Amino acid sequence: MKNNINLIYNRSEIGAGTRGSSIGIDALLMEATKKGSTFFRDTPSQAINDKNHILTVPSNHKWAKHIDGLIGIYEEVCDTVCQVLQKENFPLIISGDHASSGGSVAGIKKAFPEKRLGLIWIDAHADLHSPYTSPSGNVHGMPIATIINEDNLKFELDDVDESTKIEWEKLKNVGGVKPKALPTDIVFIGVRDTEKEEDYLIEKHGIVNFTPEILREKGVEATLLEIKEELLADCDIVYVSFDVDSLDSNIVSTGTGTPVENGLFVEEVKKILKAFLSWNKVIALEVTEINPLLDNKGNKMAETALEILEFALNS
Ligand SMILES: [Mn+2]
């Protein structure tokens, strides 16, 4: 457990393909109030200025929708995360869509440019697309590409116009360091819904992916040990990103932008997050992609995220 947490709410949902994840943050806070949880009440917090108003106008950037707005979001998230870290506090970022995490990592790298940064990505997806390979143009599928500076031009499918190319370079440059992490310093947990362009990068860079099956075969404890003692042993600091779509959509709910079945169990994620929050190398956590508008079971995804967080945060 970290005792110096500073909450950062990023209600931007401009990287997502479907609207509603901005409300995910308030669904979580509402649930906490209802359950009598005092964590959010008692923890210092600040909010990023979202730019969700731009979503009423169609984007000019077909293969990186609203990337012009996202650059500002990345910059503000970057500066906020950096300031929290410089005060020796622990940023807990609760974000609408997962594009946010590129800004979070930029902020970590801005605060610690000399440190080797590892990433633990708990997600159904690999988030490795670029505007050149994305099937949708939704930037929440691209944050790792911004972090490792990977365009994957070998699989160039999309006809990306010059202005989008310029904005994409700007997005990757936020925080002033490029790349922000090495692909070999990324560990996936729960990734099970990828495209062939991403599979190529996973193989090319040798990114280790603990799918739900592999996690169960190895066991949670052994997996955690392998991550800490082997895979990320040479990293100085570690960022953990928890996309709620890593959870099994049949067991939990469809309350997230891109729900995927056959995912992680709630008990597994509880144990994983609790273990990482007690690891001194872990310096920031992000929780993202709760979308109550898509939830088939009321507010189940926000309730579940609260249950996981409460468990992980209490020592
Ligand atoms: Mn994601």
Side-chain angles (χ1 to χ4, degrees), residues 98 121-125 127 140 143 243 245 288-289:
H98 215 170
W121 211 266
I122 307 167
D123 203 315
H125 308 94
D127 295 348
H140 70 162
D243 186 326
D245 71 24
T288 191
E289 294 279 0

